[in-house]
Amino acid sequence: MVHRACLLAMLTCVVACSEPEPARTPAPSSTPDPARTPDPARPPTPSSPLTPWSDAWLLREGERFLEDTAYRRAALEHSLVNPNNLYSRQRLASYGLGTRRWDRLPVWNPRSQPVTAELAAQLERGQVPSEPSEPLWDGNEPTTMDGWVALGRRVFFEYPMRAEVYMEWGLTKPALATAVGVERSAEGGVPGLVVFRDVDREVRVGITCAICHSSVDDEGVVVEGAARRSFDYGRLRLSYFADTGEWVEPGLARRMATWGPGRADVTEDDDEDPVAIPDLWGIRAQRWLTQAGTIRHDSPLALAIRQETQLTDSNHAMVRPPRALAWALAMYVYSLEPPTATTIDTASRGAAVFADQCAGCHANEGYGGRVIAADRIGTDPALATGRGRGTGTYRVAPLLRVATGAPYLHDGSVASLQELLSPARLSPDYTAGRLGPGPIPGHTAGTALVAHDREALLAFLQTI
Ligand code: HEC
Ligand code: HEC
């Protein structure tokens, strides 16, 4: 373990020496004057009547994101629904302050490469691969949307969120790795894992966005943006602790055992609120991000800041990504679409039932919607009221390709669409729940349908 101060001193050189981010004029350091701060939800339009969320508008917002600290700060403040949860407090204290806190962190453009079949074989033998030769980014800012998306794709698959000892260990145990959802593509690559040179110069195995937000289909093809519902991060970590005899805090161990595949407690506070990993389809249409609606999403800066701060925080706030990479990542996320086309029969009985029973809430083009008070929707309130990301609400979940999205609800407590629509699960005597006996409360819409309407609705849900 390197002492943190030494590490920081090393970093300043390691990172600054290879820093490719173009020098930008630093903006005023202090907290911006709210009266003069541009409202990111309403970009100034007179001179530029660009349609919000069009590619041209996104490109222009990207320039402002990269250049204007006060605009970034205002966007952060506007995007945080509950300024008092831990997620918001950490960012308000650290982000967009000009010459202080996270703005001062060294910019890190890592040397990183995906774990290919060959690298995986080396790691399985316990060998340390040689250091990747090139930094991830060549330092050129794209000028087109296609260019941003292509760069963002590399960030998604290759920018390390942190070194991950559990994965290093897991790769030496292929049967376990497969069992906990460390999936392999047809070529034998391991999407979501990288070999990279960490900030302390050690060559390590790291995880990227793709470990949770991509999956491999039956043909071995990587499906970008699909939730990795097989990924059992809790079990991987517990197996590591059991095997190595390393100490793990008993409370944390107990919590990790309850996550199961496809869920993770991404807050790492003491709250018990693991959440289901979502598909990342149709994010552009969602006006709130995350299941508890932690982030108001009126502006692409909201997502770019989420990604910049996520990469900063997950790398222990010792470095920050080049801002262009955070923007690229956001543009890539917006580009993600479901892998398969579907045909929707809008004249069907199921479509009519959906319009009548569901569309009042599941209202936007991705069938998501606004936020609803947790006690009104009635599902388990732990996440909504938690200190980590809580807002008191849950967002109406998008339903694109919902048929392949089981288990359902923010906590993955409902096993199937049949179960979601069955009145039996609301009963105190219900024993078939995947997280244990007892009722699965809340989201009562659709549970009182007559049988043929339920069947028609279920058929319709297969097609959206
Ligand atoms: C360990 C697994 C894991 C990793 C790694 C991960 N995520 Fe997530 N992601 C989740 C979970 C779980 C949620 C749901 C969190 C919530 O709703 O509070 C989520 C939510 C999101 C959302 C919000 C989706 C929505 O519908 O509102 C976005 C966008 C996202 N992740 C993008 C990323 C990106 C980009 C990265 C890489 C920097 C990343 N995630 C890394 C597990 C992960
Ligand atoms: C009162 C508003 C409201 C109505 C009406 C409503 N929903 Fe929802 N729906 C929500 C909310 C809020 C969530 C997220 C709740 C949570 O995760 O705790 C949700 C989540 C879901 C999910 C889980 C999606 C996932 O990926 O986990 C499905 C499926 C769903 N709704 C289907 C339906 C169907 C089908 C109908 C019509 C019978 C319907 N909903 C009616 C508000 C509503």
Side-chain angles (χ1 to χ4, degrees), residues 168-185:
E168 255 151 17
W169 172 84
L171 286 173
T172 67
K173 310 253 181 296
L176 174 76
T178 306
V180 298
V182 180
E183 298 176 349
R184 297 283 188 112
S185 68

Side-chain angles (χ1 to χ4, degrees), residues 229 276 291 353-354 357-362 370-372 376-377 379-380 394-399 402 405 407-411 417 420-421 443 445-447 449 457 461:
R229 298 197 166 86
Q291 328 235 29
V353 176
F354 188 86
Q357 303 279 325
C358 319
C361 291
H362 293 275
R370 61 186 191 277
V371 289
I372 308 257
R376 204 184 131 215
I377 192 72
T379 52
D380 184 315
Y394 286 117
R395 174 190 63 179
V396 177
L399 302 179
V402 68
Y408 300 107
L409 299 180
H410 69 274
D411 54 357
L417 291 171
L420 184 72
L421 298 180
H443 199 287
T447 54
L449 291 171
L457 178 60
L461 293 173

Side-chain angles (χ1 to χ4, degrees), residues 302-321:
L303 180 61
I305 292 169
R306 178 191 190 275
Q307 298 317 152
E308 184 184 341
T309 56
Q310 182 180 20
L311 289 175
T312 302
D313 184 44
S314 70
N315 279 298
H316 315 290
M318 300 212 292
V319 288
R320 67 173 174 86

